[in-house]
């Protein structure tokens, strides 16, 4: 008989126990450098025919023009695809400015580029990105930039997209070089 009042008291205690408090949303303040930076996005320079080809003479001249254009821009790093034409396009800047490079996969979503920048903690930096005619626009979209076109022509090698990302948004400037 003594057990019954103890069980009832225990049951009453459990029944009257207040429920868990409702979760309150926690405001997430974005890190000042995450998803920020200045990105100079270009297509590799003119190339010889073939799947992993070298640059033509015109391509070498364009790579030199790129060097002259960006040598004083304060670049911190170069992101390139693992193809000879991409590496050769950025070589002058890499060698003369002693810049570190990172390879990313030439995908048509821009995901590999974003993954590598995050993995290497390169947000907030000034980065040259060398891509291909079918990867440039997806990279711009992954950076939340809105280019005026949805494609780059097979013979277009002279476009430089400058994407500036900060906490207030993204700006895009396009120039020919």
């Amino acid at each position: 008989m003594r057990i019954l009042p103890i069980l009832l008291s225990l049951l009453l205690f459990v029944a009257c126990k207040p429920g868990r408090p409702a979760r309150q949303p926690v405001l997430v303040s974005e890190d000042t450098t995450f998803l920020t930076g200045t990105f100079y996005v270009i297509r590799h320079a003119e190339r010889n025919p073939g799947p992993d080809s070298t640059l033509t003479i015109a391509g070498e001249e364009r790579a030199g023009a790129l060097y002259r254009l960006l040598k004083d821009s304060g670049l911190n790093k170069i992101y390139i695809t693992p193809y000879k034409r991409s590496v050769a396009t950025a070589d002058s800047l890499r060698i003369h400015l002693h810049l570190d490079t990172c390879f990313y996969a030439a995908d048509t979503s821009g995901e590999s580029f974003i993954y590598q920048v995050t993995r290497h903690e390169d947000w907030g930096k000034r980065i040259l990105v060398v891509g291909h005619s079918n990867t440039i626009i997806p990279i711009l979209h992954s950076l939340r930039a809105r280019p005026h076109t949805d494609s780059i022509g097979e013979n277009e090698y002279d476009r430089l997209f400058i994407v500036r990302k900060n906490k207030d948004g993204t700006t895009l400037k396009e120039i020919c070089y």
Side-chain angles (χ1 to χ4, degrees), residues 30-166:
E30 190 174 279
D31 182 342
T32 56
T33 58
F34 184 65
L35 298 177
T36 65
T38 302
F39 303 87
Y40 300 88
V41 184
I42 61 157
R43 180 183 182 192
H44 61 77
E46 291 88 335
R47 66 183 176 103
N48 288 304
D52 189 14
S53 56
T54 58
L55 298 181
T56 64
I57 292 174
E60 290 173 4
E61 290 172 0
R62 183 161 321 276
L66 179 67
Y67 168 77
R68 290 185 294 282
L69 181 66
L70 296 181
K71 68 180 179 177
D72 298 321
S73 64
L75 287 175
N76 302 111
K77 198 165 191 178
I78 300 171
Y79 277 75
I80 51 180
T81 60
Y83 294 95
K84 291 176 188 172
R85 59 190 177 264
S86 297
V87 173
T89 300
D91 258 356
S92 294
L93 286 161
R94 181 186 62 80
I95 293 166
H96 293 291
L97 300 179
H98 308 286
L99 295 174
D100 190 17
T101 58
C102 179
F103 289 108
Y104 71 94
D107 63 13
T108 56
S109 68
E111 289 178 12
S112 175
F113 169 70
I114 296 296
Y115 172 77
Q116 291 297 338
V117 172
T118 302
R119 182 172 161 253
H120 292 280
E121 299 179 356
D122 284 333
W123 293 107
K125 296 181 179 179
R126 292 175 168 268
I127 298 173
L128 171 63
V129 183
V130 182
H132 304 272
S133 61
N134 63 338
T135 65
I136 296 298
I137 301 301
I139 288 171
L140 293 173
H141 286 162
S142 71
L143 291 170
R144 303 286 187 248
R146 300 291 170 230
H148 294 94
T149 182
D150 282 335
S151 66
I152 293 178
E154 190 58 36
N155 294 317
E156 290 183 75
Y157 296 96
D158 62 348
R159 294 166 74 181
L160 169 64
F161 299 92
I162 303 171
V163 180
R164 287 187 173 87
K165 293 184 65 61
N166 59 41

Side-chain angles (χ1 to χ4, degrees), residues 4-25:
L4 187 58
I6 293 173
L7 282 174
L8 285 174
S9 297
L10 196 59
L11 195 60
L12 190 59
F13 175 74
V14 172
C16 294
K17 185 178 176 182
R20 287 187 147 174
R23 276 189 154 179
Q24 298 298 319

Side-chain angles (χ1 to χ4, degrees), residues 24-30:
Q24 298 298 319
V26 177
L27 295 175
V28 177
S29 60
E30 190 174 279

